Amino acid sequence: SKKRKQPEYWFAVPRERVDHLYTFFVQWSPEVYGKDAKEQGFVVVDKDELDMVDNFFSEPTTKSWEIITVEEAKRRQSTCSVCDEEADDLLPDLKQHSGILEDVHIEKLAQCLPARVQGYPWQLVYSTLEHGTSLKTLYRNLASLDSPVLLVVKDMDNQVFGAYATHPFKLSDHYYGTGETFLYTFSPEFKVFKWSGENSYFING
């Protein structure tokens, strides 16, 4: 199978703001940035390497990057077949056919996912068409899952909506999840409802 590219992002943060930023990451995404994370979501750069990075971006002759709009990126991708192939790599790979999601749905949803989960294949874990309508079956199928989940619902009026959850749904006596959790709808047009910051009531099963 074709190997998909994983996105990589670099940010320059003022030294006096590093502790605040790290505290924020640990609080809202402990599974990625906490001390018990299986794989750290950041890389600590030594001073010598940092100086090298600083020199790279401060030297005008070595700059090989630019900031462009999404529209401009799409325009450039449409001018050559090689770019079209790279654009396909940015879309998720569905391991099973979806009875609800169409290509336009997948493209819009993929653009809203957190950077740390982009590029990974989408695996169908529960479907009412395949597994029935038992909530117990849903919880049982998600029990061994250790990744974010995308809930997709289609009602009797063919309205498509759902949620992105940072943690699998499970029975719990307390709220869980992080601020990356969001709701979305395609009716009447695509819209995402992100965390307001007013509380931490993300998920509760």
Side-chain angles (χ1 to χ4, degrees), residues 100-115:
I100 300 178
L101 293 177
E102 300 176 1
D103 289 344
V104 63
H105 298 142
I106 298 171
E107 180 180 0
K108 290 184 179 297
L109 284 171
Q111 293 174 355
C112 295
L113 297 180

Side-chain angles (χ1 to χ4, degrees), residues 37-184:
K38 295 181 179 179
E39 182 177 349
Q40 291 294 330
F42 61 90
V43 178
V44 178
V45 181
D46 294 332
K47 187 179 185 304
D48 292 341
E49 295 175 325
L50 184 60
D51 291 339
M52 181 181 66
V53 174
D54 288 340
N55 292 335
F56 175 83
F57 287 108
S58 62
E59 176 57 50
T61 59
T62 60
K63 290 184 178 180
S64 59
W65 55 275
E66 60 182 335
I67 299 176
I68 60 176
T69 64
V70 174
E71 289 73 17
E72 173 63 13
K74 291 182 177 179
R75 186 192 68 78
R76 296 184 184 182
Q77 289 173 352
S78 64
T79 59
C80 64
S81 59
V82 175
C83 292
D84 288 338
E85 292 179 1
E86 292 179 354
D88 291 339
D89 287 342
L90 298 178
L91 292 178
D93 175 25
L94 272 64
K95 292 302 183 181
Q96 293 88 11
H97 172 73
S98 173
I100 300 178
L101 293 177
E102 300 176 1
D103 289 344
V104 63
H105 298 142
I106 298 171
E107 180 180 0
K108 290 184 179 297
L109 284 171
Q111 293 174 355
C112 295
L113 297 180
R116 65 187 180 89
V117 300
Q118 291 183 7
Y120 289 93
W122 291 11
Q123 181 76 37
L124 180 64
V125 178
Y126 174 84
S127 168
T128 54
L129 293 176
E130 182 177 343
H131 304 99
T133 56
S134 170
L135 191 58
K136 289 184 178 180
T137 303
L138 170 65
Y139 286 139
R140 183 169 59 251
N141 288 8
L142 295 176
S144 60
L145 203 63
D146 185 22
S147 65
V149 297
L150 185 65
L151 174 66
V152 183
V153 180
K154 187 174 184 179
D155 65 15
M156 298 296 291
D157 296 321
N158 292 323
Q159 308 297 311
V160 178
F161 56 93
Y164 168 81
T166 56
H167 295 72
F169 302 118
K170 62 183 179 181
L171 291 175
S172 174
D173 57 0
H174 62 276
Y175 289 91
Y176 58 95
T178 74
E180 290 180 333
T181 300
F182 63 80
L183 303 175
Y184 68 88

Side-chain angles (χ1 to χ4, degrees), residues 180-198:
E180 290 180 333
T181 300
F182 63 80
L183 303 175
Y184 68 88
T185 180
F186 285 96
S187 306
E189 59 185 18
F190 181 63
K191 186 175 183 180
V192 171
F193 303 90
K194 294 189 175 183
W195 178 43
S196 66
E198 294 184 2

